[in-house]
Amino acid sequence: MTSPSEYAVTFTAREQAELLRVDRDLAPPGPEEVLGRTLYTLVSAGTELEGAYMGASFPRVPGYAAVMEVEAVGAAVESLRPGEMAFCSGPHRSFQRVTANQALPIPAGLAPEEALFCRLMGVSMSTLTTTAARPPARVLVTGLGLVGHLAARVFQGCGYTVAACDPSPSRRRIAEENGIRNVFPAAPLEDPEWAGKVELVLECSGHEQAALQGCRIVRKKGEVVLIGAPWRRRTDLWAHDLLTLVFHRYVVLRSGWEWELPLHPADFRAGSIWGNYAAALQWLGEGRVSAQGLYALCPPERAQDAFQDLLHARLERLAVVFDWTQTGDEARSSLSRSPLL
């Protein structure tokens, strides 16, 4: 038995996103399951554009950050109740079905579309869990896309002395407007306040020049953590340039692999993925980090417009949030064609 009125954003070909009807499993929830109607989903531009929209394998349903209104829970679920809102790592789809340990209640007063950003905060929070640097150490964030922007906000909110850099004037403006205190167009290699004094570099751009500059600015035996995926080659730099800096400056150059942490708390392990999401939700609810002004709302019927605007850097914001609250044929027929903000 299936429902005829459910939808999913689907990549049907290279650079082609469509909102397609999908079947919904109408079976009641299992003992540990949570089911709900999707309210909002967040586009992770790097992963979804480079890893799927520009990919070679289709069809694909992207997405991994969703907020739902809970409709039903299994008999063993105690953390959520019908009518509550919950975050889950779900796709761009009009319904969600997850196990209860993969859903978190939204703090009271936090807008559901802003709760989504806990997922992208979690990317750099894995490094926050594993780094040897402790506040008020100097931290440099290279790349002020959404992941880098949130990384700067997270580390600054935790008491680190943060600088951030990006060649994009609009990204720097957004960073400054949101309280990131030290913002530069490039790594401040000649600034005596930063050169040789940075204990941790969060490389969030995926650009090899930024990684090289990180190794130049970091103090001896400081850490350079590669968080941004290097989707393509950008320069003609030699590996020798990097290796020389690592060798002579004793740089700890390592992966920023988010999934280094266990999914849930475990004995003899520090931190967890879902523990970080829960902390991020709490910080968003308290206002320690805010997502206001970072995103444009978009109906999923306009997914193709949204992904093209992200691909060609036409947005004034850092992110796109799909609003599923009025999705359907009626919404599809009455769409505005105005540009996304």
Side-chain angles (χ1 to χ4, degrees), residues 163-188:
C165 62
D166 195 291
S168 166
S170 64
R171 287 182 173 183
R172 296 200 303 273
R173 173 182 54 78
I174 293 171
E176 291 169 343
E177 290 175 351
N178 283 276
I180 298 174
R181 300 189 187 102
N182 304 288
V183 182
F184 302 94

Side-chain angles (χ1 to χ4, degrees), residues 152-320:
R153 302 272 293 276
V154 164
F155 276 76
Q156 185 170 280
C158 289
Y160 291 85
T161 304
V162 173
C165 62
D166 195 291
S168 166
S170 64
R171 287 182 173 183
R172 296 200 303 273
R173 173 182 54 78
I174 293 171
E176 291 169 343
E177 290 175 351
N178 283 276
I180 298 174
R181 300 189 187 102
N182 304 288
V183 182
F184 302 94
L189 298 172
E190 306 302 324
D191 188 332
E193 291 295 317
W194 295 94
K197 297 179 181 178
V198 173
E199 293 197 31
L200 171 66
V201 174
L202 303 172
E203 205 306 280
C204 297
S205 71
H207 197 298
E208 55 266 41
Q209 180 68 57
L212 188 67
Q213 290 181 346
C215 290
R216 284 179 176 151
I217 201 170
V218 76
R219 69 169 178 83
K220 289 184 177 179
K221 212 174 185 303
E223 294 176 86
V224 177
V225 181
L226 305 178
I227 293 176
W231 295 106
R232 65 177 67 88
R233 183 175 181 174
R234 309 288 185 89
T235 71
D236 292 325
L237 293 172
W238 292 83
H240 180 265
D241 298 334
L242 183 69
L243 298 177
T244 298
L245 288 168
V246 170
F247 185 86
H248 289 289
R249 298 187 62 78
Y250 317 103
V251 177
V252 178
L253 178 64
R254 66 181 179 91
S255 169
W257 184 43
E258 178 185 3
W259 303 99
E260 177 181 354
L261 303 181
L263 284 175
H264 300 285
D267 290 342
F268 310 109
R269 296 291 302 276
S272 68
I273 296 292
W274 281 90
N276 282 344
Y277 296 163
L281 279 173
Q282 179 181 344
W283 295 351
L284 287 162
E286 294 171 349
R288 182 186 299 192
V289 178
S290 171
Q292 293 181 14
L294 297 186
Y295 59 92
L297 282 174
C298 173
E301 290 85 352
R302 290 189 58 191
Q304 175 65 4
D305 295 335
F307 282 104
Q308 281 293 306
D309 285 350
L310 286 167
L311 179 63
H312 297 289
R314 294 194 292 251
L315 285 180
E316 297 178 4
R317 310 291 174 86
L318 297 180
V320 169

Side-chain angles (χ1 to χ4, degrees), residues 19 21 64 77 125 144 172 186 189 193 206 262 297 319 324 326:
L19 187 67
R21 287 183 181 272
Y64 56 62
V77 176
M125 288 176 71
L144 283 168
R172 296 200 303 273
L189 298 172
E193 291 295 317
L297 282 174
W324 293 85
Q326 298 187 30

Side-chain angles (χ1 to χ4, degrees), residues 22-221:
V22 292
D23 291 337
R24 177 174 180 172
D25 182 0
L26 296 181
E32 303 285 345
E33 285 189 319
V34 176
L35 281 62
R37 176 177 67 93
T38 305
L39 301 177
Y40 300 95
T41 58
L42 173 64
V43 175
S44 176
T47 299
E48 293 181 39
L49 283 176
E50 301 286 353
Y53 188 67
M54 302 290 290
S57 176
F58 305 100
R60 299 182 68 172
V61 175
Y64 56 62
V67 167
M68 63 175 161
E69 181 179 1
V70 177
E71 294 178 335
V73 300
V77 176
E78 298 181 352
S79 56
L80 289 162
R81 290 291 178 263
E84 293 182 328
M85 292 185 296
F87 165 82
C88 67
S89 188
H92 300 303
R93 190 174 59 195
S94 59
F95 65 94
Q96 306 291 332
R97 178 189 284 261
V98 297
T99 56
N101 66 355
Q102 295 177 346
L104 292 167
I106 305 302
L110 178 60
E113 62 270 30
E114 294 186 20
L116 292 165
F117 288 80
C118 74
R119 176 64 185 82
L120 274 298
M121 289 169 64
V123 175
S124 62
M125 288 176 71
S126 288
T127 299
L128 180 65
T129 303
T130 58
T131 183
R134 292 291 177 263
R138 291 181 180 270
V139 173
L140 175 66
V141 178
T142 55
L144 283 168
L146 186 58
V147 168
H149 178 99
L150 291 172
R153 302 272 293 276
V154 164
F155 276 76
Q156 185 170 280
C158 289
Y160 291 85
T161 304
V162 173
C165 62
D166 195 291
S168 166
S170 64
R171 287 182 173 183
R172 296 200 303 273
R173 173 182 54 78
I174 293 171
E176 291 169 343
E177 290 175 351
N178 283 276
I180 298 174
R181 300 189 187 102
N182 304 288
V183 182
F184 302 94
L189 298 172
E190 306 302 324
D191 188 332
E193 291 295 317
W194 295 94
K197 297 179 181 178
V198 173
E199 293 197 31
L200 171 66
V201 174
L202 303 172
E203 205 306 280
C204 297
S205 71
H207 197 298
E208 55 266 41
Q209 180 68 57
L212 188 67
Q213 290 181 346
C215 290
R216 284 179 176 151
I217 201 170
V218 76
R219 69 169 178 83
K220 289 184 177 179
K221 212 174 185 303

